[in-house]
Amino acid sequence: MDDAPRSRRHRPPPPAADSGPARRSRGARRTTPGRRPLRSATALAAAISLAALSVLATGCGEESEPAVTPTSSTRAAAPRVVDDLQTAYQDVIEDVLPSVVQIEAGDSLGSGVVYDERGHLITNAHVVDSADSFQITVATGEEPVPAKLVSSYPEQDLAVLKLDRVPTGVKPAVFGDSSQVQVGQIVLAMGSPLGLSGSVTQGIVSAVGRTVTESSSGGGTGATIGNMVQTSAAINPGNSGGALVNLDSRIIGIPTLAATDPDLGNSAAPGIGFAIPASMVKTVADQIITTGRVTDSGRAALGITARTVLDDNYQPSGTAVVDVEKGGPADDAGLKSGDIITRLGSAQITTITSLAEALASESPGDKVVVAYTRGGERRSAQVTLGEI
């Protein structure tokens, strides 16, 4: 007999029976833009570990099988999975970092992405701000290269710069298809958080289709941006304008905002960041590069100027129409100055921000029902939305 452990017996075995072989048992997802002074460089990475469980079964009246000892192939499985993921991360970083730059705009700092071989860079409008000269540091480590502003589009918080010369080793980024972005995808954020150029953080796509309003204080543009990608990858001051990348080395968004928690004094809410989707980035960049400005925003508009109104308890209760653009969508639908808009489509309107967010979810040409009050009387009108 071998030395394998035996199971308990409930009764003595038959005297004439030999021990048979043991049977095998099988184990059976408010905002603050970010810019900071330049510091030193670093990078981060992450890996996943796996574990295996062996099961020892016992049988009634039979010998149990010895505990299964992992073979060399099972011992190698977990490290191989970790190595594969780590290699994937490193390949993406090697592919994309040469397309990510650091932007010094006066005494402020942000990130940018190389858009084409002519040296156009895409970044956030709040990174550019009011600066008129820029110094660009590329991943190859050369001396900073001057760049000029082509145009800024604060309504979508995007801007295009152009390098005076294209350094060796710099290559255009490859942009992905925003419609294919799915919750749960692994992503890496690349940029210069807190001035640490060439930094990489990792996370997942937490949600898609978010509409977020950027603060107008602290250097923000106050833009309301629709269809943003929410991510758990850390986005810190200085990451703005950089790259949010999938494991195919495709840029799926431009990191722009980090959520803040009012209950914590508007400090950053960890793991809640937002990126402008690649489709909008390409739409804006192509128009600026071709014509010098955005001629087709793709953003819906009512054709009014408005302000937030308060009720008797000093709470926001709607958006008052201050002025109506002649021949615009609201004018065509019969809205007048003094009307108070309370709903657009299915969205309740209490502030000018909520109106902007509702419009950001619509497209030019869409027909929506606008509910409003005039002289205390409730009314509604169907409006064919125009374009900003």
Side-chain angles (χ1 to χ4, degrees), residues 33 122-131 149-160 212-216 219-226 228 256-257 276 280 284 288 292-294 297 299 388:
I122 190 78
T123 186
N124 287 131
H126 75 257
V127 170
V128 170
D129 198 15
S130 59
L149 176 66
V150 178
S151 185
S152 179
Y153 186 58
E155 292 85 349
Q156 196 68 39
D157 200 359
L158 290 170
V160 175
V212 183
T213 299
E214 180 180 306
S215 172
S216 58
T221 67
T224 297
I225 307 171
M228 296 192 84
T256 300
L257 308 169
I276 300 172
M280 178 56 70
V284 170
I288 289 177
R293 62 190 180 91
V294 175
S297 69
R299 292 169 59 90
I388 293 177

Side-chain angles (χ1 to χ4, degrees), residues 104-265:
E104 293 179 67
D107 60 354
S108 299
L109 182 83
S111 303
V113 173
V114 181
Y115 191 72
D116 60 25
E117 294 179 347
R118 293 183 289 165
H120 287 106
L121 311 174
I122 190 78
T123 186
N124 287 131
H126 75 257
V127 170
V128 170
D129 198 15
S130 59
D132 55 10
S133 63
F134 309 92
Q135 293 292 315
I136 311 300
T137 303
V138 299
T140 53
E142 292 190 18
E143 290 295 317
V145 178
K148 295 181 177 63
L149 176 66
V150 178
S151 185
S152 179
Y153 186 58
E155 292 85 349
Q156 196 68 39
D157 200 359
L158 290 170
V160 175
L161 306 179
K162 190 173 189 300
L163 293 166
D164 285 1
R165 64 177 179 85
V166 181
T168 303
V170 172
K171 66 177 185 178
V174 179
F175 285 78
D177 183 351
S178 297
S179 66
Q180 300 302 311
V181 176
Q182 296 182 346
V183 175
Q185 281 184 297
I186 295 174
V187 289
L188 305 178
M190 302 183 190
S192 299
L194 305 178
L196 302 171
S197 61
S199 291
V200 182
T201 56
Q202 64 87 30
I204 63 168
V205 173
S206 305
V208 295
R210 296 296 198 201
T211 298
V212 183
T213 299
E214 180 180 306
S215 172
S216 58
S217 61
T221 67
T224 297
I225 307 171
N227 296 317
M228 296 192 84
V229 179
Q230 181 182 331
T231 180
S232 64
I235 296 176
N236 291 297
N239 267 125
S240 291
L244 187 68
V245 190
N246 64 21
L247 292 188
D248 292 324
S249 298
R250 301 294 191 266
I251 292 182
I252 63 170
I254 299 295
T256 300
L257 308 169
T260 57
D261 187 347
D263 294 335
L264 297 177

Side-chain angles (χ1 to χ4, degrees), residues 7 42 47 64 107 217 236 242 360-361:
S7 62
T42 189
S64 65
D107 60 354
S217 61
N236 291 297
S361 300

Side-chain angles (χ1 to χ4, degrees), residues 313-332:
N313 296 317
Y314 302 98
Q315 297 299 311
S317 60
T319 300
V321 177
V322 176
D323 191 30
V324 179
E325 176 189 332
K326 187 175 181 179
D331 186 33
D332 289 346

Side-chain angles (χ1 to χ4, degrees), residues 88 191 231 258 285 291 303 317 367 384 387:
T231 180
T291 68
S317 60
K367 298 180 184 298
T384 301
E387 187 173 18

